[in-house]
Amino acid sequence: MKELIAIVMAAILVNNYVLSQFLGICPFLGVSKKLDQAAGMSVAVIFVMMLATAVTYPIQFFVLNPNGLGYLQTIVFILVIAALVQLVEIILKKYIPALHASLGVYLPLITTNCAVLGCCISNIDNYLTATGGFAGGFVQALFNALGSGLGFLLAMVLFSGVRSRVDKCKCPECFKGMPITLISAAIVSVSFMGFAGIVENLLG
C-alpha cells in the first residue's frame, strides 16, 4: 500500500506531467482562464487517463507484445484515446451540457493531449515488467494514471488562480496577454522543483 501511495504522490508533485514534464500545455494554457472550466477539463482528463490506461495496458500485454506488434503502440493508443474522448464528449453533452458548452473545442483536444498519451506509454515503460505479473503492474499503472490526472488537476486549478490575479495586475504593454501567461507558468513550474525528493523522505 505504501508503494501505491508513493506512486500517486510522485505523479502529483514530483513528476507532474504539466509542470515537470511539460506535457498537456495546450489545455493548460487554453482552459485555465476560469476555475470552473479548468476543474471540469481536469476531471474529464482524469477519467480519460484512467480509462485509457485500463484499456491500453491489457492491449499491450496480451495483444501487441505477444504478437511482436509493439511498433504499433502509438497508433493503437491514439485510436483508443480518441474513442474514449468521444465517449466522454457524448456523456457530457447529454448529462452536463453547460460544462460541454464551456469546454468547447478543448474537449475534443483531449484526443491530442500529449499528457494522456504520455501517461499510457509511461505506464507501459515503467510497470509492464513489474513484479506480480499482469495484475501487479496493472494496479500500479492505474494508480499512476490516477496520480497523473490529479497532478493535472492541481496544475490547472493552481494556475487558474495565478492567472486570475495576473490578469488584474498592471504590466508593461509588451508583456500583456500570452507573454505574461508564459512567464507565470514558468514561475509556477519552478516552484514545483521544491518537491523533488519529498516522496522518498515522507514514505522512505
Side-chain angles (χ1 to χ4, degrees), residues 58-82:
I59 289 176
Q60 184 78 32
F61 192 91
F62 293 112
V63 179
L64 297 183
N65 284 359
N67 294 293
L69 299 174
Y71 60 92
L72 294 176
Q73 181 191 71
T74 302
I75 297 174
V76 172
F77 284 14
I78 289 175
L79 291 175
V80 169
I81 293 169

Side-chain angles (χ1 to χ4, degrees), residues 39-175:
M41 177 71 164
S42 300
V43 171
V45 168
I46 293 172
F47 179 76
V48 172
M49 272 188 177
M50 294 199 66
L51 203 55
T53 296
V55 175
T56 56
Y57 191 95
I59 289 176
Q60 184 78 32
F61 192 91
F62 293 112
V63 179
L64 297 183
N65 284 359
N67 294 293
L69 299 174
Y71 60 92
L72 294 176
Q73 181 191 71
T74 302
I75 297 174
V76 172
F77 284 14
I78 289 175
L79 291 175
V80 169
I81 293 169
L84 294 175
V85 170
Q86 289 299 312
L87 176 64
V88 171
E89 186 172 8
I90 292 171
I91 293 173
L92 288 181
K93 189 173 183 178
K94 183 174 179 62
Y95 296 105
I96 318 177
L99 179 59
H100 178 270
S102 67
L103 291 177
V105 69
Y106 292 101
L107 183 57
L109 281 179
I110 296 179
T111 303
T112 57
N113 186 344
C114 50
V116 179
L117 179 62
C119 178
C120 294
I121 294 177
S122 174
N123 287 332
I124 299 301
D125 294 340
N126 295 328
Y127 305 115
L128 192 66
T129 57
T131 55
F134 171 79
F138 184 64
V139 171
Q140 291 178 346
L142 284 178
F143 272 85
N144 183 65
L146 174 62
S148 301
L150 291 175
F152 187 85
L153 171 64
L154 177 64
M156 291 286 284
V157 171
L158 281 177
F159 193 60
S160 177
V162 171
R163 199 165 179 179
S164 66
R165 297 291 296 273
V166 169
D167 289 343
K168 296 177 182 178
C169 295
K170 293 182 179 180
C171 65
E173 192 67 29
C174 61
F175 284 106

